[in-house]
Amino acid sequence: MSKAFTKESDAEDDELDAGLPPLPAGGKNYITPSGYARLRAELLDLMDNERPKVVEAVHWAAKNGDRSENGDYLYGKKRLREIDRRIRFLTRRLEIAEVTDPSLHHGGDQVFFGATVRYVDEDGAESVVTILGIDEAQSAQGQVSWVSPVARALLKARVGDVVRLVTPAGTREIEVLSVDYPAPG
């Protein structure tokens, strides 16, 4: 098959393959300084450590003869494509990142990017979320991206405010109990 008929990866494919949601149309890619540092460290590790090791393994495997049945070669080429895709993704995301330091709001009672918010829903269940960037939020650690429904409902609210949260199960009201920011450092 001619190379002319193979699909080239584009930005949307890279974002989908990275397992992260695409940025909202016209939206900014807000990220905390620590999130930016983490993504940059991953990018540098891929470029300086992991990719050269895989290239060396592929080079070694290529010298071993028939490439069509060479598992080391085939796996290595596949892994190299994955690494290159992740490098492209991280490079693009870091280029458009807007680093926002949440400690600037230290001591405030209003919800902005980077806040850790404790709230209670109408059933009395308390929850705590930290509002972070799309590329750094990890839901298992109680972090949500700033474009998530709960974050959008909470943003700009103040302690004591009751806001409406639209969920698939219907609209719910939640009350902001506390707002905390990391200390300036």
Side-chain angles (χ1 to χ4, degrees):
M1 181 156 113
S2 169
K3 247 336 205 179
F5 296 106
T6 60
K7 182 177 183 230
E8 289 292 322
S9 177
D10 60 7
E12 284 183 21
D13 287 345
D14 285 352
E15 287 182 4
L16 293 174
D17 290 342
L20 295 170
L23 291 173
K28 308 251 183 202
N29 186 24
Y30 295 114
I31 192 167
T32 62
S34 63
Y36 185 89
R38 214 172 22 257
L39 290 181
R40 189 170 187 285
E42 179 185 354
L43 175 63
L44 293 175
D45 182 58
L46 286 171
M47 291 186 330
D48 296 340
N49 297 323
E50 193 163 347
R51 190 175 194 287
K53 288 177 187 174
V54 174
V55 167
E56 185 178 320
V58 168
H59 179 71
W60 170 83
K63 293 190 300 186
N64 287 338
D66 184 9
R67 294 178 184 174
S68 66
E69 295 181 11
N70 186 332
D72 290 332
Y73 177 80
L74 296 174
Y75 173 76
K77 291 294 281 185
K78 179 179 185 271
R79 181 69 185 125
L80 200 54
R81 284 190 301 275
E82 292 168 355
I83 291 170
D84 288 343
R85 182 178 303 119
R86 183 71 178 162
I87 287 173
R88 283 191 310 274
F89 173 81
L90 289 171
T91 301
R92 271 196 312 281
R93 284 296 177 101
L94 290 172
E95 285 174 352
I96 62 170
E98 288 210 24
V99 179
T100 304
D101 190 354
S103 67
L104 298 177
H105 300 289
H106 181 69
D109 70 340
Q110 192 171 12
V111 179
F112 293 108
F113 178 82
T116 298
V117 183
R118 189 168 57 90
Y119 64 90
V120 62
D121 68 13
E122 44 194 46
D123 296 332
E126 281 191 28
S127 299
V128 177
V129 295
T130 301
I131 301 171
L132 297 175
I134 293 172
D135 299 330
E136 61 184 325
Q138 297 178 8
S139 60
Q141 296 179 359
Q143 301 169 344
V144 296
S145 79
W146 66 274
V147 296
S148 68
V150 69
R152 286 185 180 255
L154 291 169
L155 283 170
K156 297 190 180 176
R158 295 185 178 276
V159 173
D161 285 355
V162 176
V163 297
R164 298 171 63 95
L165 171 62
V166 179
T167 69
T171 303
R172 302 184 57 81
E173 290 188 346
I174 57 176
E175 180 182 354
V176 179
L177 300 176
S178 67
V179 179
D180 294 307
Y181 292 94

